[in-house]
């Protein structure tokens, strides 16, 4: 279990739950160091005081806020710890919402909350079971790293997870990114649904997912160290073909997904693949001298 990154409490009405916060994810990225291309020497950065020119240790470096040119107010960690803000020392639950009502775009870093001490066990389990039975998540506020943050608490297996969230005004409006209007026929939508059926799995764990970029980069580094050519990871990439007919591409994709499921889904449930109906032929327009009426735009039904 990783070391706690924060200790405090969950504030649930008048109930206080002492907790420790640990990271829920691991970073397996390969990190490069900056080197001098001529001789391979390491490039290092030094923190230098602009007044006396000395190179400083981390213990000599504090925090300061520039309120005016050449005027900096220093703030110590002790002063930050005594900040008059309830969320500075607690994760304060402010509301509960149905699990499916959260916009995934708002979700950021994830953590696990661990009950801190024997006295925290019962209230921790109480909150966990209440979240489970209600199928809700808790919206909370907490202060970390120099700012107050929005958070989401939900149950994962037998633990309570904390997901830091972006504030609503930090989410950009996606309307300006919408593509230009285009006609999409019912047959094409049915084809896309058939492809989704063929690619559907019961759980994400059923997929054998791996970071192929990480493996390929590791192979490049190993091969370079061993003075050989790297071996392709995951097979040779297939050349991308130009899509001429959307329906033909959907049909081919359904057959490909169906074949893949048949190879690796032995003993499991197979996706139900619905046959795609042929494209509907448009009826010839009737000649008329009457002025055409403009049909009202269809409104999307609220889900």
């Amino acid at each position: 279990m990783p070391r706690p990154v924060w200790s405090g409490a969950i504030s649930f009405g008048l109930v206080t739950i002492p907790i420790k916060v640990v990271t829920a994810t691991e970073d397996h990225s390969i990190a490069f160091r900056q080197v001098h291309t001529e001789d391979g020497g390491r490039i290092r950065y030094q923190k230098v005081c602009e007044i006396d020119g000395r190179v400083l240790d981390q213990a000599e470096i504090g925090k300061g806020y520039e309120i005016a040119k050449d005027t900096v107010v220093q703030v110590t960690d002790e002063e930050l710890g005594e900040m008059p803000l309830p969320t500075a020392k607690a994760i304060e639950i402010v509301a509960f919402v149905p699990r499916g009502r959260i916009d995934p775009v708002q979700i950021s870093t994830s953590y696990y909350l661990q009950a801190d001490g024997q006295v925290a066990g019962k209230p921790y389990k109480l909150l966990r079971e209440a979240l489970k039975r209600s199928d809700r998540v808790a919206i909370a506020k907490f202060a970390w790293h120099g700012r107050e943050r929005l958070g989401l608490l939900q149950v994962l297996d037998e633990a309570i997870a904390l997901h830091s969230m972006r504030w609503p005004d930090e989410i950009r409006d996606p309307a300006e990114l919408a593509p230009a209007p285009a006609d999409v026929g019912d047959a094409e939508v049915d084809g896309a649904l058939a492809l989704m059926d063929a690619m559907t799995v019961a759980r994400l764990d059923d997929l054998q997912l791996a970071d192929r970029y990480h493996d390929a980069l590791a192979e490049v580094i190993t091969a370079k160290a061993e003075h050989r050519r790297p071996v392709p990871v995951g097979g040779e990439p297939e050349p991308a073909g130009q899509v001429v007919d959307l329906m033909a591409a959907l049909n081919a994709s359904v057959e490909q997904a169906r074949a893949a499921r048949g190879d690796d889904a032995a003993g499991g449930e197979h996706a139900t693949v619905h046959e795609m109906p042929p494209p509907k032929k448009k009826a010839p327009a009737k000649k008329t001298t009457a002025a055409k009426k403009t049909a009202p735009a269809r409104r999307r039904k609220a889900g």
Side-chain angles (χ1 to χ4, degrees):
M1 179 66 68
R3 294 176 57 186
V5 297
W6 190 82
S7 295
I10 301 173
S11 176
F12 174 32
L14 298 179
V15 177
T16 300
I17 311 171
I19 50 93
K20 293 180 180 179
V21 179
V22 298
T23 55
T25 60
E26 296 178 335
D27 186 1
H28 293 163
S29 301
I30 295 176
F32 287 103
R33 299 188 183 277
Q34 291 187 324
V35 296
H36 186 189
T37 56
E38 184 175 330
D39 56 20
R42 285 275 305 278
I43 306 299
R44 298 183 181 275
Y45 293 92
Q46 296 178 326
K47 297 182 179 181
V48 181
C49 176
E50 64 179 17
I51 295 179
D52 59 20
R54 288 196 309 114
V55 177
L56 304 180
D57 295 329
Q58 187 60 40
E60 301 177 273
I61 300 175
K63 298 180 178 68
Y65 183 81
E66 186 175 2
I67 59 175
K69 185 176 177 60
D70 299 328
T71 303
V72 176
V73 175
Q74 293 193 37
V75 181
T76 66
D77 291 337
E78 290 75 15
E79 290 169 333
L80 292 176
E82 297 172 356
M83 186 184 306
L85 181 69
T87 54
K89 298 181 180 180
I91 300 173
E92 180 185 5
I93 294 178
V94 296
F96 294 89
V97 298
R99 180 187 290 268
R101 296 292 179 86
I102 299 300
D103 186 352
V105 176
Q106 287 188 258
I107 302 297
S108 185
T109 311
S110 298
Y111 304 89
Y112 290 137
L113 303 183
Q114 178 184 13
D116 189 6
Q118 186 174 0
V119 69
K122 186 171 182 177
Y124 184 98
K125 292 179 180 179
L126 172 65
L127 177 58
R128 183 188 65 191
E129 294 306 310
L131 289 172
K132 276 185 180 180
R133 296 186 189 183
S134 65
D135 197 28
R136 298 174 190 172
V137 296
I139 303 300
K141 291 182 179 180
F142 60 99
W144 287 0
H145 308 301
R147 58 175 296 193
E148 189 172 50
R149 299 170 184 268
L150 191 64
L152 179 151
L153 276 66
Q154 69 169 338
V155 177
L156 293 179
D157 292 332
E158 296 302 312
I160 298 176
L162 168 67
H163 308 282
S164 62
M165 300 177 65
R166 300 188 182 278
W167 296 95
D169 61 358
E170 294 179 319
I171 307 299
R172 294 173 178 165
D173 185 0
E176 61 185 21
L177 305 177
D183 292 332
V184 178
D186 291 340
E188 292 168 328
V189 175
D190 289 341
L193 291 173
L195 178 56
M196 290 172 62
D197 284 342
M199 297 177 65
T200 296
V201 295
R203 300 181 307 163
L204 189 60
D205 293 343
D206 295 338
L207 297 176
Q208 295 181 351
L209 299 176
D211 185 353
R212 292 187 297 177
Y213 183 89
H214 177 279
D215 296 341
L217 180 57
E219 171 58 19
V220 168
I221 296 172
T222 302
K224 189 73 178 289
E226 297 176 352
H227 306 287
R228 60 175 176 82
R229 293 182 61 83
V231 178
V233 175
E236 296 291 343
E238 298 182 0
Q242 184 177 2
V243 177
V244 179
D245 186 342
L246 182 57
M247 287 299 299
L250 286 170
N251 273 300
S253 299
V254 169
E255 293 301 324
Q256 185 181 55
R258 181 187 295 173
R261 290 294 296 266
D263 289 340
D264 59 14
E269 293 185 7
H270 291 267
T272 302
V273 180
H274 302 287
E275 296 296 334
M276 288 179 288
K280 297 179 180 179
K281 295 182 179 180
K282 293 183 178 179
K286 294 181 180 180
K287 294 182 179 180
T288 178
T289 58
K292 294 182 178 178
K293 293 183 179 180
T294 303
R298 293 182 180 178
R299 294 184 180 178
R300 198 172 75 177
K301 296 180 179 178

